[in-house]
Amino acid sequence: QVQLVESGGGLVQAWGSLRLSCAASGNIFSIDTMGWYRQAPGKQREGVAAITSGGSTNYADSVKSRYTIARDNAKNTVYLQMNSLHPADTAVYSCNAGIFTMHILRHYWGQGTQVTVSS
């Protein structure tokens, strides 16, 4: 069994900052790419940031220069530092990871954490 658990969401004022964490646990051989997605009310889920096992990153244009994704492989944890937040960033943020178990790569999702940015 593999589990991803997000933390760090909450209520923040516009132009404020939050740091999200996502920790993976269970029968993990190794972790490939990890990423963050978000879903705002009335909108579809969108990818916001991803990081490979080697540390290469990719960001959605809407968050580039404001968000930073990082990972600690020893802790099986990925982080999302969010700066200069806008009300449009309000969403449920979910972690996704490609994880090898039994020599098979599968993708797992966390339960999500709410981020609310007030104007």
Side-chain angles (χ1 to χ4, degrees):
Q1 288 285 343
V2 172
Q3 185 179 38
L4 302 179
V5 179
E6 301 100 333
S7 62
L11 176 64
V12 65
Q13 294 181 346
W15 303 107
S17 298
L18 285 174
R19 177 179 289 178
L20 306 183
S21 299
C22 173
S25 61
N27 186 24
I28 299 170
F29 179 78
S30 65
I31 303 178
D32 192 33
T33 299
M34 306 183 81
W36 289 94
Y37 294 74
R38 68 184 182 186
Q39 186 167 26
K43 295 187 176 182
Q44 293 182 318
R45 178 189 286 165
E46 62 175 343
V48 297
I51 183 168
T52 69
S53 60
S56 179
T57 59
N58 188 32
Y59 299 92
D61 289 341
S62 60
V63 307
K64 191 174 184 179
S65 81
R66 299 189 297 118
Y67 289 16
T68 302
I69 189 170
R71 64 193 288 166
D72 185 336
N73 290 332
K75 296 181 178 179
N76 291 333
T77 299
V78 63
Y79 306 94
L80 186 67
Q81 178 67 47
M82 304 184 294
N83 298 325
S84 301
L85 286 164
H86 305 167
D89 293 317
T90 295
V92 174
Y93 284 72
S94 300
C95 175
N96 178 272
I99 297 176
F100 285 96
T101 62
M102 302 296 292
H103 307 290
I104 299 173
L105 178 64
R106 299 185 185 276
H107 287 84
Y108 298 85
W109 288 93
Q111 82 288 351
T113 185
Q114 176 71 48
V115 172
T116 302
V117 184
S118 63
S119 61

